[in-house]
Structure formats: C-alpha cells, structure tokens
Amino acid sequence: MSIEEKNMLLMKIANAYGGLDMADADVLRRMMSGKYRSKDHLIEIEDKFFSNCKAKGYDEKTSREIWWQMESFAGYSFNKAHSASFAVESYQSLFLKTYYPLEFMVAVLNNYGGFYNRKVYVNEARISGGNICLPCVNQSVFNTSIQDKDIYLGFDCLLNLEGKLAHRIIEEREANG
C-alpha cells in the first residue's frame, strides 16, 4: 500500500468511524504526520473525534484503541521520496561542510537560512579558520563573499542600509575605484 493510500485510509477511518468531516480528517492526517504544529488544534480534533464516537454509542475502549492505532500509523506516513531527498541533501551538506567549511558557511549566510542567528554561522566560519572581515567599501559586495580565507561580510549585513545604496557603492567602486 502506498503512503498516499495509507493517508487516505487514515482520513476515511477518521471520517467514517470518528465522524470527522474530511477537512478535519485531512488536518488530523497532517498533524499526525508532523506537518502541522498546533497542539491545541490536535486536542480540539481529538475531542471532536471522541465526542462523535460517544454520540454514536461506540465503546470508549475501542475508540481509544482506534485513535492509538491512527497515531502509531502516522509516525510511518512520511513520504519515501521526501525522505530520500532529505537524505541526499543532508549528505551533500555534510560533504560541503566537511571539505569546504568556509565556502559552506558563506553559502549559508547568503541563503539567509539556517536554524541559528547569522552570528552563529559567522562564528562557525571563524572557528573553521576563516578571517572575518567587516563590510568593506573596497572589498565587499552585496552578499558575503570569500577570497582565500578572508570572508567579507556583505553590505546586506549593515542594519538600515538600503539595498539601492549598497548596490550604488559597488557600482561606484567598479566605475571609479
């Protein structure tokens, strides 16, 4: 049975047995698979499921067992294609971080992503042997750049510096030195 078929089965059980409409059943599916983080909303749907079961006269023990089985199943409902994609991306990131740590940190900084504050990535680059240079009128570009072991923070790091002005600084330097 494919993951999509299993997800549809979970929704059908929530609908047919638990009396949830298909919209709530879909929210339940997403919540149980970890794609939705609102604990309060999950509790609200769980309460609705059990009150519907009670109204239908179902045995509470049986209803709890069905709910438990749906929760247990949901842990296995992550799409395999997504898992494979994350594995490839994780491997590539680990390879780059291991063999090209400075370049990797510059890329993370320029991606404006990551779990941590940008300061953490700058510090990680420093620990990895990078020489961190503050934004420099003569060397920096808009984003963070790297030259050998020198990492020049970009003009985008400067608080309240408009992007247009940052680009004009670069254009002026290229035109007139």
Side-chain angles (χ1 to χ4, degrees), residues 7-32:
N7 283 335
M8 189 52 101
L9 181 61
L10 182 134
M11 290 172 57
K12 285 180 179 179
I13 292 168
N15 174 258
Y17 184 87
L20 299 178
D21 61 36
M22 288 306 276
D24 280 343
D26 186 48
V27 170
L28 177 65
R29 174 196 60 82
R30 283 185 279 140
M31 291 172 137
M32 286 185 163

mmCIF file of all heavy atoms in Angstrom, residues 7-32:
data_model
loop_
_atom_site.group_PDB
_atom_site.id
_atom_site.type_symbol
_atom_site.label_atom_id
_atom_site.label_comp_id
_atom_site.label_asym_id
_atom_site.label_seq_id
_atom_site.Cartn_x
_atom_site.Cartn_y
_atom_site.Cartn_z
ATOM 1 N N ASN A 7 -2.533 7.273 3.855
ATOM 2 C CA ASN A 7 -3.049 8.555 4.351
ATOM 3 C C ASN A 7 -4.550 8.674 4.095
ATOM 4 O O ASN A 7 -5.297 9.155 4.938
ATOM 5 C CB ASN A 7 -2.305 9.723 3.699
ATOM 6 C CG ASN A 7 -0.939 9.942 4.303
ATOM 7 O OD1 ASN A 7 -0.687 9.587 5.444
ATOM 8 N ND2 ASN A 7 -0.040 10.520 3.528
ATOM 9 N N MET A 8 -4.978 8.218 2.920
ATOM 10 C CA MET A 8 -6.404 8.274 2.598
ATOM 11 C C MET A 8 -7.192 7.350 3.521
ATOM 12 O O MET A 8 -8.283 7.697 3.973
ATOM 13 C CB MET A 8 -6.635 7.891 1.128
ATOM 14 C CG MET A 8 -8.055 8.138 0.687
ATOM 15 S SD MET A 8 -8.627 9.808 1.059
ATOM 16 C CE MET A 8 -8.473 10.577 -0.489
ATOM 17 N N LEU A 9 -6.616 6.188 3.843
ATOM 18 C CA LEU A 9 -7.274 5.254 4.755
ATOM 19 C C LEU A 9 -7.432 5.888 6.139
ATOM 20 O O LEU A 9 -8.495 5.790 6.754
ATOM 21 C CB LEU A 9 -6.470 3.954 4.848
ATOM 22 C CG LEU A 9 -7.038 2.871 5.755
ATOM 23 C CD1 LEU A 9 -8.425 2.435 5.278
ATOM 24 C CD2 LEU A 9 -6.093 1.681 5.806
ATOM 25 N N LEU A 10 -6.400 6.550 6.628
ATOM 26 C CA LEU A 10 -6.469 7.237 7.923
ATOM 27 C C LEU A 10 -7.602 8.262 7.911
ATOM 28 O O LEU A 10 -8.398 8.335 8.846
ATOM 29 C CB LEU A 10 -5.139 7.909 8.246
ATOM 30 C CG LEU A 10 -5.088 8.610 9.598
ATOM 31 C CD1 LEU A 10 -3.793 8.232 10.317
ATOM 32 C CD2 LEU A 10 -5.155 10.104 9.446
ATOM 33 N N MET A 11 -7.697 9.020 6.829
ATOM 34 C CA MET A 11 -8.748 10.034 6.722
ATOM 35 C C MET A 11 -10.135 9.388 6.682
ATOM 36 O O MET A 11 -11.078 9.886 7.304
ATOM 37 C CB MET A 11 -8.518 10.896 5.478
ATOM 38 C CG MET A 11 -7.309 11.810 5.595
ATOM 39 S SD MET A 11 -6.902 12.670 4.056
ATOM 40 C CE MET A 11 -8.418 13.532 3.712
ATOM 41 N N LYS A 12 -10.256 8.268 5.966
ATOM 42 C CA LYS A 12 -11.557 7.584 5.875
ATOM 43 C C LYS A 12 -11.986 7.035 7.229
ATOM 44 O O LYS A 12 -13.163 7.086 7.573
ATOM 45 C CB LYS A 12 -11.486 6.471 4.831
ATOM 46 C CG LYS A 12 -11.494 6.987 3.403
ATOM 47 C CD LYS A 12 -11.420 5.844 2.407
ATOM 48 C CE LYS A 12 -11.441 6.355 0.977
ATOM 49 N NZ LYS A 12 -11.335 5.256 0.007
ATOM 50 N N ILE A 13 -11.039 6.498 7.990
ATOM 51 C CA ILE A 13 -11.364 5.988 9.328
ATOM 52 C C ILE A 13 -11.821 7.136 10.227
ATOM 53 O O ILE A 13 -12.820 7.023 10.938
ATOM 54 C CB ILE A 13 -10.156 5.247 9.946
ATOM 55 C CG1 ILE A 13 -9.883 3.956 9.174
ATOM 56 C CG2 ILE A 13 -10.394 4.942 11.428
ATOM 57 C CD1 ILE A 13 -8.563 3.300 9.517
ATOM 58 N N ALA A 14 -11.074 8.252 10.182
ATOM 59 C CA ALA A 14 -11.440 9.412 10.999
ATOM 60 C C ALA A 14 -12.822 9.930 10.619
ATOM 61 O O ALA A 14 -13.593 10.364 11.474
ATOM 62 C CB ALA A 14 -10.385 10.511 10.851
ATOM 63 N N ASN A 15 -13.144 9.838 9.332
ATOM 64 C CA ASN A 15 -14.443 10.307 8.850
ATOM 65 C C ASN A 15 -15.560 9.322 9.169
ATOM 66 O O ASN A 15 -16.566 9.690 9.790
ATOM 67 C CB ASN A 15 -14.365 10.556 7.342
ATOM 68 C CG ASN A 15 -15.705 10.902 6.732
ATOM 69 O OD1 ASN A 15 -16.328 10.052 6.110
ATOM 70 N ND2 ASN A 15 -16.147 12.135 6.909
ATOM 71 N N ALA A 16 -15.383 8.062 8.789
ATOM 72 C CA ALA A 16 -16.457 7.071 8.932
ATOM 73 C C ALA A 16 -16.663 6.651 10.382
ATOM 74 O O ALA A 16 -17.802 6.577 10.842
ATOM 75 C CB ALA A 16 -16.150 5.849 8.067
ATOM 76 N N TYR A 17 -15.596 6.378 11.091
ATOM 77 C CA TYR A 17 -15.733 5.911 12.466
ATOM 78 C C TYR A 17 -15.858 7.083 13.436
ATOM 79 O O TYR A 17 -16.742 7.100 14.285
ATOM 80 C CB TYR A 17 -14.537 5.038 12.862
ATOM 81 C CG TYR A 17 -14.678 4.455 14.253
ATOM 82 C CD1 TYR A 17 -15.353 3.265 14.449
ATOM 83 C CD2 TYR A 17 -14.139 5.095 15.363
ATOM 84 C CE1 TYR A 17 -15.508 2.726 15.720
ATOM 85 C CE2 TYR A 17 -14.278 4.579 16.634
ATOM 86 C CZ TYR A 17 -14.962 3.383 16.813
ATOM 87 O OH TYR A 17 -15.110 2.871 18.064
ATOM 88 N N GLY A 18 -14.956 8.081 13.286
ATOM 89 C CA GLY A 18 -14.907 9.182 14.244
ATOM 90 C C GLY A 18 -15.813 10.351 13.944
ATOM 91 O O GLY A 18 -15.867 11.318 14.707
ATOM 92 N N GLY A 19 -16.523 10.297 12.797
ATOM 93 C CA GLY A 19 -17.480 11.347 12.491
ATOM 94 C C GLY A 19 -16.869 12.688 12.130
ATOM 95 O O GLY A 19 -17.570 13.703 12.112
ATOM 96 N N LEU A 20 -15.571 12.721 11.842
ATOM 97 C CA LEU A 20 -14.940 13.980 11.434
ATOM 98 C C LEU A 20 -15.261 14.250 9.973
ATOM 99 O O LEU A 20 -15.314 13.316 9.161
ATOM 100 C CB LEU A 20 -13.422 13.908 11.617
ATOM 101 C CG LEU A 20 -12.900 13.667 13.031
ATOM 102 C CD1 LEU A 20 -11.371 13.583 13.014
ATOM 103 C CD2 LEU A 20 -13.352 14.762 13.985
ATOM 104 N N ASP A 21 -15.472 15.524 9.621
ATOM 105 C CA ASP A 21 -15.641 15.819 8.206
ATOM 106 C C ASP A 21 -14.271 15.665 7.532
ATOM 107 O O ASP A 21 -13.241 15.577 8.196
ATOM 108 C CB ASP A 21 -16.265 17.199 7.977
ATOM 109 C CG ASP A 21 -15.436 18.349 8.534
ATOM 110 O OD1 ASP A 21 -14.192 18.291 8.486
ATOM 111 O OD2 ASP A 21 -16.045 19.323 9.015
ATOM 112 N N MET A 22 -14.245 15.606 6.215
ATOM 113 C CA MET A 22 -12.993 15.322 5.502
ATOM 114 C C MET A 22 -11.953 16.436 5.697
ATOM 115 O O MET A 22 -10.755 16.175 5.663
ATOM 116 C CB MET A 22 -13.259 15.067 4.018
ATOM 117 C CG MET A 22 -13.942 13.726 3.765
ATOM 118 S SD MET A 22 -13.078 12.308 4.494
ATOM 119 C CE MET A 22 -11.882 11.958 3.229
ATOM 120 N N ALA A 23 -12.414 17.657 5.911
ATOM 121 C CA ALA A 23 -11.460 18.757 6.157
ATOM 122 C C ALA A 23 -10.730 18.521 7.480
ATOM 123 O O ALA A 23 -9.505 18.635 7.551
ATOM 124 C CB ALA A 23 -12.183 20.097 6.169
ATOM 125 N N ASP A 24 -11.492 18.166 8.527
ATOM 126 C CA ASP A 24 -10.855 17.868 9.821
ATOM 127 C C ASP A 24 -10.002 16.606 9.732
ATOM 128 O O ASP A 24 -8.942 16.523 10.340
ATOM 129 C CB ASP A 24 -11.905 17.710 10.923
ATOM 130 C CG ASP A 24 -12.406 19.040 11.464
ATOM 131 O OD1 ASP A 24 -11.721 20.069 11.238
ATOM 132 O OD2 ASP A 24 -13.468 19.053 12.113
ATOM 133 N N ALA A 25 -10.455 15.620 8.967
ATOM 134 C CA ALA A 25 -9.678 14.387 8.794
ATOM 135 C C ALA A 25 -8.347 14.683 8.109
ATOM 136 O O ALA A 25 -7.311 14.119 8.466
ATOM 137 C CB ALA A 25 -10.483 13.363 7.991
ATOM 138 N N ASP A 26 -8.359 15.600 7.144
ATOM 139 C CA ASP A 26 -7.113 15.973 6.466
ATOM 140 C C ASP A 26 -6.186 16.728 7.412
ATOM 141 O O ASP A 26 -4.979 16.501 7.423
ATOM 142 C CB ASP A 26 -7.412 16.820 5.227
ATOM 143 C CG ASP A 26 -6.156 17.100 4.420
ATOM 144 O OD1 ASP A 26 -5.401 16.146 4.157
ATOM 145 O OD2 ASP A 26 -5.928 18.275 4.062
ATOM 146 N N VAL A 27 -6.747 17.623 8.217
ATOM 147 C CA VAL A 27 -5.940 18.335 9.217
ATOM 148 C C VAL A 27 -5.345 17.329 10.193
ATOM 149 O O VAL A 27 -4.162 17.407 10.543
ATOM 150 C CB VAL A 27 -6.774 19.409 9.951
ATOM 151 C CG1 VAL A 27 -6.013 19.973 11.137
ATOM 152 C CG2 VAL A 27 -7.171 20.529 8.993
ATOM 153 N N LEU A 28 -6.148 16.350 10.613
ATOM 154 C CA LEU A 28 -5.664 15.303 11.518
ATOM 155 C C LEU A 28 -4.505 14.545 10.883
ATOM 156 O O LEU A 28 -3.478 14.308 11.526
ATOM 157 C CB LEU A 28 -6.807 14.338 11.857
ATOM 158 C CG LEU A 28 -6.444 13.142 12.727
ATOM 159 C CD1 LEU A 28 -6.001 13.596 14.111
ATOM 160 C CD2 LEU A 28 -7.626 12.191 12.836
ATOM 161 N N ARG A 29 -4.632 14.171 9.627
ATOM 162 C CA ARG A 29 -3.568 13.464 8.909
ATOM 163 C C ARG A 29 -2.283 14.283 8.907
ATOM 164 O O ARG A 29 -1.203 13.779 9.204
ATOM 165 C CB ARG A 29 -3.999 13.166 7.468
ATOM 166 C CG ARG A 29 -2.897 12.558 6.604
ATOM 167 C CD ARG A 29 -3.220 12.644 5.125
ATOM 168 N NE ARG A 29 -3.403 13.988 4.634
ATOM 169 C CZ ARG A 29 -2.422 14.824 4.293
ATOM 170 N NH1 ARG A 29 -1.178 14.457 4.417
ATOM 171 N NH2 ARG A 29 -2.689 16.026 3.840
ATOM 172 N N ARG A 30 -2.401 15.574 8.589
ATOM 173 C CA ARG A 30 -1.213 16.435 8.553
ATOM 174 C C ARG A 30 -0.609 16.596 9.938
ATOM 175 O O ARG A 30 0.608 16.609 10.098
ATOM 176 C CB ARG A 30 -1.562 17.798 7.953
ATOM 177 C CG ARG A 30 -1.686 17.734 6.443
ATOM 178 C CD ARG A 30 -1.912 19.095 5.839
ATOM 179 N NE ARG A 30 -3.325 19.430 5.979
ATOM 180 C CZ ARG A 30 -3.786 20.622 6.291
ATOM 181 N NH1 ARG A 30 -2.970 21.617 6.519
ATOM 182 N NH2 ARG A 30 -5.074 20.835 6.393
ATOM 183 N N MET A 31 -1.446 16.742 10.947
ATOM 184 C CA MET A 31 -0.951 16.917 12.310
ATOM 185 C C MET A 31 -0.220 15.668 12.791
ATOM 186 O O MET A 31 0.834 15.749 13.397
ATOM 187 C CB MET A 31 -2.094 17.236 13.268
ATOM 188 C CG MET A 31 -2.715 18.586 13.055
ATOM 189 S SD MET A 31 -4.177 18.736 14.069
ATOM 190 C CE MET A 31 -3.959 20.369 14.681
ATOM 191 N N MET A 32 -0.814 14.517 12.522
ATOM 192 C CA MET A 32 -0.213 13.273 12.985
ATOM 193 C C MET A 32 1.090 12.965 12.262
ATOM 194 O O MET A 32 1.949 12.284 12.804
ATOM 195 C CB MET A 32 -1.197 12.117 12.837
ATOM 196 C CG MET A 32 -2.295 12.139 13.866
ATOM 197 S SD MET A 32 -3.323 10.678 13.710
ATOM 198 C CE MET A 32 -4.165 10.699 15.289
#
